[in-house]
Amino acid sequence: MFMNIDWQILGFGDEGWGGVLLNAATVTVTVSLCAWFLGAILGSLLCWMQIAGSRWQQRLAAGYITVFRGVPELLVIYLFYFGGRQVVSSVGTALGFQGPFDVNGFIAGAIAIGLISGAYQSSVFRGAFYAIPKGTLEAATVTGMGRLMMFRRMIVPQALRTALPGMGNQWQSVIKESALVSVTGLVETMNQVSTAANSTQMSFFFYSIGAVIYLIITTCSDLVFRYVEKFALRGQQRANL
């Protein structure tokens, strides 16, 4: 089927789709990075609330995790984008501003996916914390190490090493979830692939190209995380020799 295709259609000139697809892939990576980092920050906060927070903080964190792990990702994006437009419009009208009012698709999508990722990354961080040997923390306490120093020198380094595989899995999930942001009109990979497929009537070809783009991004990401994991575990590997 692909033998009869003029591959110049993927060129980077005015008549090719290569340039716009590359730009769309860049948007995909950028929105995914923003969402993943937001999820890491929220996940850390939720982890702390569950481990060291008061009872109401633990309940709040548990409720957050239940909601964002139970509601479909697409519905969360709809709520933040279309619901956000209504909220902004209502607030703007109440303040005397004239419309039309809109919500940036990039911002809405990154926040929505980031909130979802935070619910999952909190479990990754909590599991990594409980994987730290109790003897290590007890030894640090006996030597007179304060909580802040213990957190900085003992808990964070060990927990991050354990959490890296889970964080890598979450990054892969965020990459794939970013395709749902196309419903906001953001010109990312899925949106651009759909536009190319509809414009050229070559649906199978361009959706296959879209699959290859996502596969390249996730494969390269997996290699990066494997390198980071190997680098982070170098001291432990030396100790085991």
Side-chain angles (χ1 to χ4, degrees):
M1 180 178 293
F2 292 110
M3 298 298 296
N4 298 326
I5 292 176
D6 183 4
W7 290 94
Q8 292 183 355
I9 198 171
L10 294 178
F12 288 84
D14 294 335
E15 298 181 357
W17 289 90
V20 292
L21 288 174
L22 180 60
N23 291 336
T26 302
V27 174
T28 292
V29 174
T30 305
V31 71
S32 299
L33 278 172
C34 293
W36 186 77
F37 277 115
L38 175 59
I41 295 171
L42 289 174
S44 301
L45 178 60
L46 291 168
C47 176
W48 174 84
M49 292 172 64
Q50 289 180 298
I51 294 173
S54 60
R55 180 172 297 180
W56 72 267
Q57 290 175 329
Q58 293 175 354
R59 291 178 178 177
L60 181 63
Y64 177 98
I65 294 170
T66 299
V67 170
F68 281 97
R69 292 181 68 170
V71 177
E73 291 86 349
L74 184 59
L75 181 55
V76 175
I77 295 174
Y78 277 141
L79 287 173
F80 272 85
Y81 183 66
F82 296 106
R85 291 173 63 180
Q86 292 185 358
V87 171
V88 171
S89 179
S90 299
V91 173
T93 303
L95 294 176
F97 296 102
Q98 295 182 351
F101 301 96
D102 200 4
V103 174
N104 185 279
F106 183 98
I107 295 175
I111 291 176
I113 296 177
L115 293 176
I116 297 169
S117 178
Y120 287 95
Q121 291 201 56
S122 66
S123 299
V124 173
F125 294 140
R126 188 157 60 98
F129 173 80
Y130 285 125
I132 299 175
K134 292 183 179 180
T136 303
L137 302 180
E138 292 174 355
T141 303
V142 170
T143 58
M145 188 176 293
R147 286 189 176 184
L148 183 59
M149 184 178 294
M150 185 190 304
F151 178 79
R152 181 167 56 89
R153 293 188 176 181
M154 304 292 293
I155 296 177
V156 172
Q158 294 189 62
L160 276 180
R161 284 197 295 266
T162 306
L164 275 174
M167 295 174 69
N169 289 336
Q170 269 303 299
W171 165 252
Q172 302 284 35
S173 297
V174 167
I175 284 287
K176 291 183 285 186
E177 290 167 2
S178 68
L180 300 175
V181 184
S182 61
V183 300
T184 68
L186 181 67
V187 185
E188 45 70 67
T189 301
M190 191 64 194
N191 184 295
Q192 193 62 72
V193 165
S194 298
T195 300
N198 294 331
S199 298
T200 61
Q201 299 300 312
M202 300 170 63
S203 300
F204 182 79
F205 174 75
F206 275 103
Y207 283 122
S208 298
I209 294 298
V212 171
I213 292 173
Y214 281 107
L215 185 60
I216 290 174
I217 295 174
T218 54
T219 302
C220 292
S221 301
D222 185 58
L223 293 175
V224 171
F225 270 96
R226 286 187 182 183
Y227 174 80
V228 173
E229 289 175 30
K230 183 178 180 180
F231 181 80
L233 294 173
R234 67 191 188 285
Q236 184 175 343
Q237 292 173 347
R238 290 174 184 172
N240 294 332
L241 294 177

